[in-house]
Amino acid sequence: MRTSDGPWIESGELHCSGLIEIERKTWGEALDLSSGQDYYDLTKTVSSERGACPLLTVQPSRALMDEKFQIVIMNLLPNQKVTLHSLHQSEDKDFWEAYGHYVSDKHGTVTVAKDRCLGGTYDGTEQMGLIWSMRPIPGSRSGLRLRKTNVLTPMVIHISVYGGHLSQGFSQITPLATSVTERWYVTPGVQRVNVREKGVRATLFLPPGPGPYPGVLDLWGGGGGLVEYRSSLLASHGFASMALEYLAPEELRTAEVDVAYFEKAYQILQNHPKVQSNRMAMLGLSFGSAVTLSMAAYSKVIKPQCCVCISGSHVFPVNKSLFEVFEDMKKYMDRVVMNEENQVIHRGIILPIPSDPALKVDVGKIKCPLLLVNAGDDQNWASVESAEDMEMMMEKAGNRHLLTVLTYPDAGHLIEPPYTPHFRASNFILQDLKQKIVMLWGGQTKPHAYAQEDAWEKILGFLQQHLYFSSKAKL
Amino acid sequence: MQLCYFTAAFFSSKLQNMLHLRILKQINSVSNLISLRTVSTQKRTCPLLSVQPIRGLVDEKFQIDVMNLPPNQKVTLHSLHQSEDKDFWEAFGHYVSDKHGSVRGVKDESFGGTYEGIEPMGLIWSMRPIPGSQHGLSGHLSQGFSQQTPLATSVIERWYIAPGVKRVSIKEKEIRGTLFLPPGTGPYPGVLDLWGSGGSLIEYRSSLLASHGFASMVLEYLTPNNLRLEDTDASYFEKAYQILQSHPMVQKDRLAVLGTSLGGIITLSMVASSKVIKPQCCVCISGGHLMHFDKSLSEFYAKMEKNADKLRVNEYNQVIYRDLIFSVSRQSFKVDVGRIKCPLLLVNGDDDQMVPAVETAEDMEMMMVKAGNRHLLKILTYTDAGHLIEPPYSPHFRATNFYQPWTKKRVVMLWGGQTKSHAYAQEDAWKKILAFLWQHLSAPVASF
């Protein structure tokens, strides 16, 4: 066992045991070196026992978050049992992992895109299973949610191949091969711009090149904060996308966030020199959908070419300050329940869908194409029921032709850009009550992963259709 | 003719660079302008430019596809890069879209520009510093790109290092270098990487080798940290080799030495005579056996100085070393290549103006036939390639500024080579060098 002042490196980023230190940090508990066994001998023994030198490739090694990768293992023995493992350390320092059991073919090859995974955190032929089936490693804190805060750096994932079918103890065993892959939230050249203007707090992402580009106002939900990763991806697909912060207890008082706030934000985006003022969209998730529908229906300023609402509802129109909207909602809090695991089920708050028009956005007034993306197992908002009601209202008002509804069975509330892990529930802070709870989102992992992949493709297609290719767009 | 000289460190040690790819169309007559407008009110087509992968390794090919153009449309594909020294480099190719309105870099011909023919990577290897002014051709652009608005832009990144590769500074007594380790626990075959008389620490070949599964250490041996030339002798290289060999992530019996130019000369000397440096294989690029490096670097340069009168200067004031190296070799002992016991790969350009590489390779072959170890030798000779055979897809320079450490003067050095042939040589040689290393170091063979 070499000491940390080993003779061959005096200084630098890594020493021999420094190297092991880094491995330890990566794993929590690395190889057991307390026996004094030489690190080098340990690895050599394992490799020569295995015989062949497996080759693991992940292509592309640097990809966008919403891009698929190809994982291929070669040079195994024929019909060799192996486990493919993925490991990621989040910005919060938690470890997430996934794994799948495979058997190589007669050439000693495993091709994830076409071979069947026999078990693990996913099964079947699942090209991206090693990412979307990730979950916190055993012993982690509970209620975790994986979200990227710094979108200018990639998500780094270690993919490893282990001999045999393993289900645990990955950190104690030396893999046959390891490859590291980066998943980026921006393409090269995308510009990130801090927006702090007229009291509006936002981040604008601009595609590379001179533009101008269609603009998207991007709204998240009641979790609040400034969530940038969807906008950075939209910019990577050619949209000038602005993520808007509207729920930030330290910086913005809910009494001051009203229709004028959203209109100001929209105008800031629209007036930007790299944005095409007549090619705009609004995209909202969860509570952001209520904002989107309200603005599209009522605002004289916000007149987008199209709108997308994910997992939202038209109930509780945002035609006053957020403070007042939340006060209205509080009256129905008794409809919010908890299950046996103490997880909060929020969906009942708008059920039954009210018949009183004052309690709903008048969607009959919407004049642009509207895409609704809903989850069949949404435990947070009754979005499917809301969509049915909206459809009826639009039928009556004569604008039903503008509506497209996508419903994904067994998906949960948080339909986000694809290839991120699914979690059925996670920690949440109820803004006004400052209470820490566990919120139930719903969904089953595989259908949810499919929903995210398919919905994202459809959302991008919808935006491209109405913002890039529409002949109805005024020149 | 104005010639622009830039230092050979186009990519120096930075591990990332960006290029803009733009489609540009020149409108130079009224009728063109009208037809363009007509097209846009009937159907809003936005040309789509895609480059895959958008983040690739420097030695990886990319695929450029343009779609949604009108059929038979003249377009110019343009690449732009700003180096770390703030110089701008560019390349461009003239294409015509097919009947579907597409241009595909892998199968369509460039009709002119800085490269011609079907050249998927031409937009990189044909780059040159942005000239003053040039005459343009109608329909296609040849100048003034910065004044034109492109139809579409894509920014790509070319990386010198794969994700997870670790960089370790080596500072052990007087030895200076950088070690790049592939991701994972290893252990890995090791490569000792030696550059030429330009000096300094050029990391990108080692970082690329690590990206392909080798623990590669590039050694700084020309006055690192003010080490004197007099004190740089065989033991310096032996110590460096041992540092690599004894690293816990390196397989001690799977090692190679790879050297370019002076580094190649040193490689052959060490491998033939050292009791310590016994790699499983070695590669010598644009080097030779003509000067035995046995005492120290200062003695080595003294030999060169004695024959400085053999330095030629051509009509462009570019210095040619070839003849000097020839004459030195006749006066000193050659490396006894008959004593080499491991497979040896020689990579040469036949237009090498610095080292008479082809002639020396022939001489080496004769010596090895006599000694009975000819079967270890493999020679790759590339027509019209110059001295600087580097990892592929970097621009070619026929001559550049060069600092001569033994005269302490800056000259313009002629390396030789013709652009297209040199680009081909770099691409092919790199593939073959990697395959050679994989073969002899028993590393898993990747498709490349």
Side-chain angles (χ1 to χ4, degrees), chain A residues 7 33 42 131 162 180 189 208 342 354 369 401 422 456:
Chain A
L33 297 159
L42 178 68
I131 302 192
Y162 291 85
V180 179
N342 268 347
H401 61 285
H422 166 254
W456 185 241

Side-chain angles (χ1 to χ4, degrees), chain A residues 67-71 84-87 96-102 112-113 115 117 119-135 155 157 159 183 418-422 445-446 449-450 453:
Chain A
E67 211 175 326
K68 289 189 178 183
F69 54 24
Q70 293 279 357
I71 299 182
L84 257 177
H85 179 261
S86 62
L87 182 73
W96 293 68
E97 69 175 359
Y99 62 92
H101 296 151
Y102 290 88
V112 174
D115 294 347
C117 168
T121 55
Y122 66 101
D123 56 26
T125 307
E126 295 293 349
Q127 189 170 354
M128 302 302 291
L130 275 173
I131 302 192
W132 56 248
S133 72
M134 281 177 133
R135 71 280 163 89
M155 177 186 182
I157 304 179
I159 310 273
R183 311 283 296 164
Y419 315 132
T420 45
H422 166 254
T445 297
K446 199 189 262 198
Y450 279 156
E453 187 177 11

Side-chain angles (χ1 to χ4, degrees), chain B residues 4 30 170 202 269 285 320:
Chain B
C4 301
V30 175
I170 305 289
I202 302 180
S269 290
I285 304 171
I320 303 169

Side-chain angles (χ1 to χ4, degrees), chain B residues 122-385:
Chain B
L123 274 174
I124 302 201
W125 57 248
S126 73
M127 282 180 129
R128 72 280 160 87
I130 292 193
S133 61
Q134 267 187 347
H135 298 291
L137 303 163
S138 68
H140 281 130
L141 278 182
S142 295
Q143 60 166 356
F145 292 102
S146 55
Q147 277 92 51
Q148 281 273 340
T149 305
L151 296 176
T153 296
S154 188
V155 179
I156 66 172
E157 289 174 355
R158 310 283 292 163
W159 289 70
Y160 288 95
I161 195 165
V165 168
K166 298 183 269 284
R167 180 184 177 279
V168 181
S169 245
I170 305 289
K171 282 186 184 126
E172 205 241 312
K173 300 215 186 72
E174 73 277 25
I175 311 292
R176 292 287 178 275
T178 309
L179 171 64
F180 287 93
L181 295 165
T185 49
Y188 301 101
V191 178
L192 184 64
D193 179 16
L194 304 170
W195 285 78
S197 47
S200 82
L201 199 47
I202 302 180
E203 299 188 349
Y204 65 85
R205 188 165 62 192
S206 279
S207 64
L208 280 175
L209 286 169
S211 305
H212 292 295
F214 300 97
S216 184
M217 181 165 119
V218 55
L219 182 65
E220 186 173 10
Y221 62 87
L222 276 170
T223 64
N225 207 37
N226 296 318
L227 181 71
R228 299 183 316 158
L229 288 174
E230 291 83 346
D231 299 325
T232 315
D233 55 14
S235 72
Y236 183 84
F237 298 93
E238 289 175 340
K239 272 182 226 157
Y241 186 84
Q242 283 173 318
I243 286 172
L244 177 65
Q245 190 174 37
S246 59
H247 191 288
M249 284 175 81
V250 175
Q251 293 171 303
K252 53 163 75 87
D253 52 355
R254 297 265 184 276
L255 292 166
V257 182
L258 189 157
T260 294
S261 194
L262 176 57
I265 294 173
I266 292 169
T267 298
L268 291 173
S269 290
M270 295 292 112
V271 173
S273 59
S274 168
K275 298 208 182 341
V276 170
I277 298 179
K278 293 187 179 307
Q280 273 55 54
C281 68
C282 55
V283 181
C284 173
I285 304 171
S286 303
H289 68 321
L290 292 179
M291 286 163 76
H292 191 239
F293 170 73
D294 51 0
K295 299 253 175 38
S296 73
L297 277 181
S298 63
E299 194 229 359
F300 182 85
Y301 279 118
K303 284 186 210 162
M304 307 251 282
E305 237 173 308
K306 268 204 285 193
N307 293 271
D309 55 312
K310 301 289 186 309
L311 272 181
R312 274 201 297 132
V313 176
N314 66 10
E315 65 266 34
Y316 301 114
N317 253 349
Q318 297 162 344
V319 172
I320 303 169
Y321 260 60
R322 272 181 70 98
D323 300 344
L324 177 154
I325 308 280
F326 248 139
S327 76
V328 168
S329 77
R330 281 188 216 108
Q331 296 156 30
S332 67
F333 293 114
K334 297 182 211 172
V335 174
D336 187 1
V337 290
R339 292 171 55 189
I340 290 179
K341 295 193 170 28
C342 66
L344 165 62
L345 175 65
L346 299 181
V347 179
N348 297 319
D350 74 2
D351 193 35
D352 191 333
Q353 295 298 320
M354 210 214 176
V355 167
V358 175
E359 293 86 335
T360 67
E362 284 165 2
D363 192 72
M364 284 174 64
E365 190 172 4
M366 276 193 330
M367 288 174 76
M368 290 174 85
V369 167
K370 270 206 196 120
N373 62 345
R374 167 66 180 89
H375 60 285
L376 295 173
L377 180 66
K378 186 166 166 186
I379 306 177
L380 297 173
T381 305
Y382 292 98
T383 315
D384 284 337

